[in-house]
Amino acid sequence: ELENQLTTKCKTLDELKQSVALNGSAEQTPEALSLRIAELGEMMDSIVRQVAQLKTSMQLILEQWRVYDEVYAEVSLMTTRYLYCIDQCKPSVVSLKALKNQVKTLQ
């Protein structure tokens, strides 16, 4: 969605550049200039509204990333605790020879 809006903005900017290039070379009447100024004002208002929408969208996205980061940190901590518990709770595997040596030592 943001990509489409940015593409639209680029097209509008290109149109404005072409329009200025064409209109700059020809003489215009004051009426035509005032119409053009009003048109440019409307375009500017539209761009301001779209920028506000983009800001809102970006704030929502940033909020979602913040929540993701918090949940990820919590899951990471829980996973670390789980792995620690598993490591501490499992019996150590000892070979038969080592077990016999331990029995001899204890006797």
Side-chain angles (χ1 to χ4, degrees):
E1 180 185 347
L2 294 175
E3 213 172 290
N4 291 338
Q5 290 178 355
L6 289 175
T7 303
T8 303
K9 299 287 176 263
C10 287
K11 288 179 183 177
T12 304
L13 184 61
D14 289 340
E15 290 172 4
L16 285 173
K17 286 179 182 178
Q18 289 175 356
S19 176
V20 168
L22 292 175
N23 293 335
S25 61
E27 287 187 32
Q28 293 187 353
T29 63
E31 295 84 16
L33 286 175
S34 66
L35 285 174
R36 185 67 182 148
I37 289 171
E39 184 181 312
L40 289 173
E42 289 174 11
M43 289 177 161
M44 178 113 166
D45 291 342
S46 173
I47 289 171
V48 167
R49 282 192 304 276
Q50 291 175 359
V51 166
Q53 290 173 346
L54 285 173
K55 281 183 179 180
T56 302
S57 296
M58 290 304 295
Q59 287 173 343
L60 291 172
I61 290 169
L62 288 173
E63 177 63 19
Q64 290 172 348
W65 272 110
R66 186 190 62 75
V67 170
Y68 169 82
D69 284 341
E70 288 176 3
V71 170
Y72 180 83
E74 187 177 333
V75 168
S76 179
L77 180 62
M78 290 169 54
T79 303
T80 303
R81 286 179 179 165
Y82 170 75
L83 291 174
Y84 177 78
C85 288
I86 293 294
D87 188 50
Q88 296 300 313
C89 295
K90 70 179 180 181
S92 58
V93 178
V94 182
S95 68
L96 184 58
K97 185 176 179 180
L99 197 53
K100 286 180 181 178
N101 286 338
Q102 284 180 354
V103 169
K104 281 183 184 178
T105 304
L106 291 173
Q107 290 175 348

